[in-house]
Amino acid sequence: IVGDIGSGKTASAMSIVDEYRDQYKDVYLLMDKKAFKNYKGQGFKRIDPDKIVIPRNAIFVADDLHLSQHARDWAGGKGRPLEELARERRQTNTMMIVTTQVTRVIDVNLLNMMNCLIIMRPSIAQAKFDRGEIAPMLRKAYAGIKYDEYGKAYVFSNVGEGFEGIIEGIPLPSWYSDEISNAHRDHFGGDVQETPGEIAKQPL
């Protein structure tokens, strides 16, 4: 699920979780402890972004993947567990949901293994400059979804006979809240954003 800031990516992911939760044993979130505390009492389990394990018979959600991974992480092997999870999800009976506003953090191999691409309202920059593999789809979404339209998405699915088009009226789960929507707000340490480390400053 991709889209602009505040376009409803997390809400849509949780709507999918609610739809399929009863068909799986557990629901896991790839998330740091600060963000995960906002999901307390909602029946989720946490997976540490630095120690990714492959769940079985579960829904696996990597929400705002760009906060825990970067394009260079895939080259360094950090993203390999996600690729393995995507490749083996049939054998492990795992549904994988990834949300991000930066598609370049998703390795092309992972992108190619997805059954469905859901594009919430994209920004003009995403529509014009995003990665070549999905740029045409982002442009279609940008043309079909107005800036103030929520609960609407452009969907590309290869499930069954396949589907391409706009869907509307994506429901919000009854338990969804502003705290969950803003769960990653403390990711960078509350009110003060830390200066990037030396590794982050190095050229890619």
Side-chain angles (χ1 to χ4, degrees):
I1 305 175
V2 301
D4 196 7
I5 297 169
S7 60
K9 298 182 297 296
T10 301
S12 297
M14 296 309 153
S15 181
I16 295 170
V17 167
D18 263 15
E19 181 72 20
Y20 292 96
R21 189 191 288 259
D22 292 343
Q23 299 178 32
Y24 294 87
K25 181 182 176 184
D26 295 303
V27 182
Y28 289 89
L29 299 180
L30 183 73
M31 194 169 283
D32 64 28
K33 287 182 180 179
K34 287 181 179 178
F36 187 72
K37 73 181 189 307
N38 293 305
Y39 287 86
K40 190 175 181 180
Q42 302 300 339
F44 293 93
K45 295 183 177 180
R46 186 180 82 90
I47 290 181
D48 189 329
D50 293 322
K51 298 175 183 175
I52 301 173
V53 295
I54 298 177
R56 291 181 176 272
N57 192 23
I59 299 174
F60 172 88
V61 183
D63 186 38
D64 280 338
L65 185 64
H66 53 276
L67 292 180
S68 61
Q69 300 215 349
H70 303 272
R72 62 179 173 271
D73 291 331
W74 292 87
K78 183 180 175 183
R80 191 157 297 146
L82 294 183
E83 185 180 331
E84 290 176 3
L85 176 57
R87 189 173 59 246
E88 298 171 10
R89 64 190 187 276
R90 181 177 175 87
Q91 286 73 24
T92 60
N93 189 35
T94 302
M95 174 190 283
M96 182 177 187
I97 305 170
V98 175
T99 78
T100 187
Q101 51 188 276
V102 186
T103 59
R104 292 183 188 277
V105 305
I106 304 175
D107 186 84
V108 66
N109 291 332
L110 183 63
L111 197 62
N112 288 340
M113 285 186 273
M114 294 291 100
N115 287 332
C116 186
L117 175 65
I118 300 172
I119 303 175
M120 310 305 292
R121 185 192 70 241
S123 69
I124 188 170
Q126 287 174 317
K128 287 183 176 290
F129 306 119
D130 217 311
R131 65 191 302 162
E133 298 92 350
I134 68 167
M137 296 173 254
L138 282 162
R139 285 193 282 272
K140 287 183 180 181
Y142 185 76
I145 303 173
K146 295 187 174 111
Y147 185 77
D148 58 351
E149 290 184 304
Y150 295 91
K152 189 173 181 179
Y154 206 102
V155 176
F156 298 83
S157 172
N158 61 7
V159 177
E161 297 179 1
F163 173 80
E164 177 182 335
I166 287 183
I167 60 171
E168 299 186 57
I170 300 171
L172 272 177
S174 59
W175 51 269
Y176 195 78
S177 65
D178 284 342
E179 287 74 24
I180 289 174
S181 178
N182 298 316
H184 293 289
R185 184 164 283 171
D186 292 332
H187 180 82
F188 295 105
D191 295 332
V192 179
Q193 183 169 334
E194 298 177 6
T195 302
E198 292 306 313
I199 293 177
K201 293 177 185 175
Q202 293 175 7
L204 302 183

